[in-house]
Amino acid sequence: MPDPVRTLLFGFVAVLLVVLILEDIAQVEEETASNGQSKKVNWLIPKPHRKTAMHVDQTISTRSSKDICNLGPNCNTAKPSSNNWTFNKTLSNLIRKNVLRFFDPERDISILKGTLKPGDIIHYVFDRHSTTNISDNLYRLLPTVSPMKNQHHRRCAIVGNSGILLNSSCGPEIDFYDFVIRCNLAPVEEYHQDVGWKTNLVTMNPSVVQRAFQDLVSEEWRDRFLQRLQSLSGSVLWIPAFMAKGGEERVEWALRLILLHTVDVRTAFPSLRLLHAVRGYWLTNNVHIKRPTTGLLMYTMATRFCEEIHLYGFWPFPLDPRGKPVKYHYYDSLKYEYTSRSSPHTMPLEFRTLSTLHRQGALRLHTGTCEAERPQKELQSK
């Protein structure tokens, strides 16, 4: 093939790819904003086994959170029913197998020592034109083996940070699980009656250092941050250090404190492919998220090492099922526009997806209050 023809062909293919990518982005935004429609979901069942798979309800509502919560007292149409919930082990196993077709959470939960060295250049996941260097401190804290290697837990709780947890009395119930995952270093001490104490793995986005600990501008804030880290006591601290430019200094501050004070945590830094792999998994199942939230990331990863998964503090709506205001976070006054197109997340869509999985028995969403005696009566009996 002559060189001019080859060049023209390659140019045409490149333009076509760009157009397809732009169409995909536009479609995601359009579907996220659309109202009054419904989608069919390939519920995580591998295509070759579709004929033999169990029958499940595959339709989810795509109404926006504004539609749902404008119903006032009838807002409970968004609340998944927990009555007669039964764990669907078969579907849970199918989800696990399908997740493993995209990535292995045990391996991708962290970059390991030996794959990088101090001074290596890393391109950020979302800012591919920006780079950072592997510092000596970060290299020292890279795990030598996966912190979740060979771990398997029968019942796990993932605790989100929604204000729906306030006055829930779910703390004792949460503490009774075999493995507890928390998000973004959310405080527990003063809220333990509602959110519990137990922590086995907790995430820490770099922005948390700025938002929750005032960028450590004073000795008081440094002490508060250090106390929160020390309270983890052997837990896995999961730091997405290479997602977006702008948090490198905050990550380094945290690492220095951990090393200086010999804080008892097991640090983990997710692989560079993890976020795109998780998004790809959900897109393949026709769930058109722009960027998975920390909660959805943790659920997707937990399918690898947890048999039965329960979610608390997941509620992306400004009103509770009774029409009362709900704080975005249970611990602060931060505001959030759940349906804003400028947001990197599509929280109401994620919630509807999780609600469907709840109804199918693949996971359990807890959005109400908890009974003080339930951990002993219910959890021990399982």
Side-chain angles (χ1 to χ4, degrees):
M1 182 183 297
D3 287 344
V5 176
R6 184 183 293 109
T7 301
L8 183 62
L9 180 61
F10 285 168
F12 175 76
V13 172
V15 171
L16 181 61
L17 286 175
V18 170
V19 170
L20 290 174
I21 291 171
L22 291 175
E23 285 183 352
D24 177 63
I25 293 172
Q27 182 181 8
V28 169
E29 292 183 347
E30 180 180 349
E31 290 176 347
T32 301
S34 65
N35 296 331
Q37 300 176 359
S38 61
K39 293 178 185 174
K40 294 290 184 179
V41 184
N42 268 344
W43 263 133
L44 318 157
I45 299 173
K47 290 182 179 179
H49 305 292
R50 181 177 297 280
K51 291 184 179 179
T52 58
M54 70 184 67
H55 174 73
V56 294
D57 176 16
Q58 294 183 322
T59 303
I60 62 174
S61 169
T62 58
R63 289 188 301 173
S64 69
S65 63
K66 181 179 179 181
D67 294 332
I68 291 171
C69 287
N70 273 348
L71 297 176
N74 294 323
C75 188
N76 59 8
T77 55
K79 179 183 177 180
S81 173
S82 294
N83 295 332
N84 302 318
W85 182 88
T86 301
F87 176 51
N88 188 333
K89 186 173 182 179
T90 302
L91 180 56
S92 178
N93 287 337
L94 286 171
I95 291 172
R96 181 178 302 108
K97 290 178 181 178
N98 208 16
V99 166
L100 287 170
R101 294 184 177 195
F102 289 79
F103 66 102
D104 185 351
E106 181 180 296
R107 182 182 70 247
D108 289 314
I109 192 173
S110 184
I111 297 172
L112 300 181
K113 190 170 290 185
T115 60
L116 295 172
K117 63 181 183 297
D120 279 353
I121 297 174
I122 296 291
H123 288 264
Y124 286 104
V125 172
F126 296 119
D127 304 311
R128 293 295 299 164
H129 298 296
S130 299
T131 61
T132 187
N133 295 90
I134 300 298
S135 70
D136 290 335
N137 289 337
L138 194 149
Y139 180 77
R140 289 173 63 186
L141 289 172
L142 284 176
T144 54
V145 297
S146 169
M148 297 304 297
K149 185 176 178 59
N150 297 327
Q151 288 204 38
H152 179 78
H153 303 281
R154 190 164 64 90
R155 303 181 77 251
C156 299
I158 302 176
V159 185
N161 297 334
S162 169
I164 200 75
L165 281 168
L166 288 174
N167 302 313
S168 68
S169 300
C170 286
E173 183 170 310
I174 290 170
D175 287 340
F176 211 78
Y177 285 90
D178 303 317
F179 196 87
V180 177
I181 299 171
R182 299 184 187 273
C183 300
N184 287 332
L185 280 183
V188 296
E189 183 175 0
E190 58 267 53
Y191 304 96
H192 67 92
Q193 188 59 37
D194 294 325
V195 306
W197 294 92
K198 186 174 183 177
T199 304
N200 299 104
L201 186 152
V202 62
T203 72
M204 190 201 83
N205 289 341
S207 60
V208 170
V209 178
Q210 181 271 326
R211 188 175 64 245
F213 298 96
Q214 301 299 305
D215 261 342
L216 313 182
V217 295
S218 66
E219 191 68 28
E220 177 186 359
W221 284 109
R222 286 191 289 273
D223 286 343
R224 288 189 187 186
F225 184 56
L226 179 60
Q227 289 172 14
R228 183 69 185 100
L229 294 176
Q230 290 173 331
S231 71
L232 299 177
S233 185
S235 304
V236 177
L237 178 62
W238 191 80
I239 307 173
F242 311 118
M243 294 300 174
K245 183 175 177 59
E248 52 271 18
E249 286 189 345
R250 296 176 181 118
V251 171
E252 192 63 22
W253 296 338
L255 302 183
R256 287 174 188 168
L257 283 175
I258 291 170
L259 290 168
L260 179 63
H261 296 275
T262 319
V263 178
D264 182 21
V265 293
R266 293 176 290 156
T267 48
F269 306 87
S271 72
L272 300 178
R273 66 184 297 273
L274 175 64
L275 205 85
H276 290 314
V278 170
R279 182 172 182 266
Y281 163 75
W282 289 104
L283 284 174
T284 299
N285 289 284
N286 206 26
V287 181
H288 292 274
I289 54 176
K290 289 191 284 185
R291 184 188 301 181
T293 61
T294 299
L296 189 66
L297 272 172
M298 290 299 105
Y299 165 71
T300 311
M301 294 179 66
T303 60
R304 174 69 166 87
F305 47 84
C306 295
E307 183 174 334
E308 182 178 321
I309 301 173
H310 292 242
L311 307 182
Y312 295 80
F314 285 64
W315 186 261
F317 307 107
L319 301 177
D320 71 7
R322 295 176 179 82
K324 295 181 180 180
V326 175
K327 296 172 65 177
Y328 175 56
H329 289 150
Y330 66 80
Y331 51 85
D332 63 22
S333 57
L334 184 67
K335 304 293 183 182
Y336 191 86
E337 289 292 333
Y338 296 108
T339 57
S340 171
R341 286 198 172 196
S342 63
S343 169
H345 303 304
T346 45
M347 291 185 184
L349 174 60
E350 287 189 9
F351 183 83
R352 290 190 293 273
T353 301
L354 296 173
S355 295
T356 299
L357 290 172
H358 168 95
R359 291 192 295 272
Q360 296 170 359
L363 58 84
R364 185 167 182 178
L365 267 171
H366 298 261
T367 57
T369 57
C370 299
E371 300 174 16
E373 298 300 320
R374 197 158 86 183
Q376 288 72 29
K377 290 182 178 180
E378 178 180 322
L379 303 187
Q380 283 185 331
S381 64
K382 291 184 178 291

